[in-house]
Amino acid sequence: AQSVTQLDSQVPVFEEAPVELRCNYSSSVSVYLFWYVQYPNQGLQLLLKYLSGSTLVKGINGFEAEFNKSQTSFHLRKPSVHISDTAEYFCAVILYNTDKLIFGTGTRLQVFP
Amino acid sequence: DAGVIQSPRHEVTEMGQEVTLRCKPISGHDYLFWYRQTMMRGLELLIYFNNNVPIDDSGMPEDRFSAKMPNASFSTLKIQPSEPRDSAVYFCATKRAGGLEQFFGPGTRLTVL
């Protein structure tokens, strides 16, 4: 069965420091990969997605992620975080030829001044 | 363009009462998804529609839950009777046919006392 694992439930970091949020997936078929962000009391907003092509994808707000097929990973990175990046981040996959998003459990990024 | 609209934003009700959550999709989006978010189970897909037809309702927890999409502009998720364990944030999301990105509404926070 397919699944998405986010290894860290919480990541505390100081402002202007780099951050990496980890995501691994398990699937026997090809997948499309996504990162969503959820700010407090809001819905989910797409940060970036990998469909095909270059394995390094850039998203909004200075985030980027790299698809690693051999390690079945799609880690999210930002070289310098801001206080405003404090939010919950969800990794998700869609199996090829389906419409269902499968979410990880989320990582809460807390940025301190 | 207006995004996905959900109402109410907050609902507090007593156990045993009927609850109806509403969603207005983005115009032109043929797919509509209902998700539930809880601390224990994370984000779960309950049901989704394509062109107003339910495609997959395998995530609907039990018969107390029902969803309808009478037209392309409106969907409801009903819980009857409601129970305290139904307390969660319920999200509606929509997407275009052939697209992969789902656009989420702000959610309805349901509290069942």
Side-chain angles (χ1 to χ4, degrees):
Chain A
Q2 52 281 346
S3 65
V4 179
T5 301
Q6 292 184 244
L7 299 168
D8 306 301
S9 59
Q10 296 187 60
V11 173
V13 64
F14 286 108
E15 194 173 22
E16 297 183 8
V19 71
E20 177 179 85
L21 306 183
R22 296 180 292 171
C23 173
N24 289 85
Y25 67 93
S26 172
S27 176
S28 57
V29 300
S30 296
V31 298
Y32 303 110
L33 296 147
F34 303 81
W35 275 98
Y36 280 84
V37 60
Q38 183 180 28
Y39 298 104
N41 299 314
Q42 294 187 29
L44 280 73
Q45 178 184 2
L46 183 67
L47 266 182
L48 48 78
K49 60 185 179 233
Y50 173 77
L51 306 182
S52 64
S54 172
T55 57
L56 182 64
V57 292
K58 295 187 183 298
I60 61 172
N61 300 340
F63 284 92
E64 64 180 32
E66 185 155 20
F67 170 54
N68 188 319
K69 187 173 183 179
S70 63
Q71 297 186 7
T72 60
S73 67
F74 191 53
H75 301 332
L76 181 70
R77 303 185 184 100
K78 185 168 182 177
S80 176
V81 294
H82 301 136
I83 296 285
S84 59
D85 292 323
T86 294
E88 189 93 18
Y89 292 80
F90 292 92
C91 183
V93 303
I94 292 179
L95 304 183
Y96 185 69
N97 264 346
T98 71
D99 296 302
K100 296 169 68 168
L101 260 177
I102 301 167
F103 284 94
T105 50
T107 297
R108 175 159 176 74
L109 175 64
Q110 181 76 49
V111 181
F112 294 96
Chain B
D1 267 349
V4 176
I5 299 172
Q6 291 188 247
S7 64
R9 292 294 310 275
H10 302 273
E11 177 82 26
V12 181
T13 190
E14 292 188 346
M15 184 173 64
Q17 296 298 307
E18 178 179 294
V19 174
T20 299
L21 311 181
R22 297 173 177 79
C23 176
K24 178 178 169 56
I26 295 171
S27 178
H29 283 199
D30 297 319
Y31 286 78
L32 186 142
F33 303 79
W34 281 102
Y35 292 90
R36 179 172 67 176
Q37 185 179 34
T38 61
M39 289 292 292
M40 292 296 293
R41 300 174 68 88
L43 274 157
E44 306 172 277
L45 176 64
L46 300 177
I47 185 172
Y48 78 95
F49 296 83
N50 179 19
N51 287 322
N52 315 334
V53 176
I55 303 300
D56 186 339
D57 65 355
S58 59
M60 296 286 263
E62 45 195 279
D63 292 345
R64 298 184 296 106
F65 286 70
S66 63
K68 295 181 180 178
M69 193 164 184
N71 58 61
S73 304
F74 185 63
S75 177
T76 59
L77 178 67
K78 187 176 293 187
I79 309 173
Q80 166 64 19
S82 58
E83 297 182 3
R85 59 192 168 123
D86 301 331
S87 297
V89 181
Y90 291 81
F91 289 104
C92 176
T94 70
K95 78 176 185 82
R96 289 187 181 87
L100 289 170
E101 180 181 354
Q102 295 183 20
F103 294 80
F104 283 75
T108 295
R109 182 175 295 276
L110 173 65
T111 302
V112 183
L113 303 174

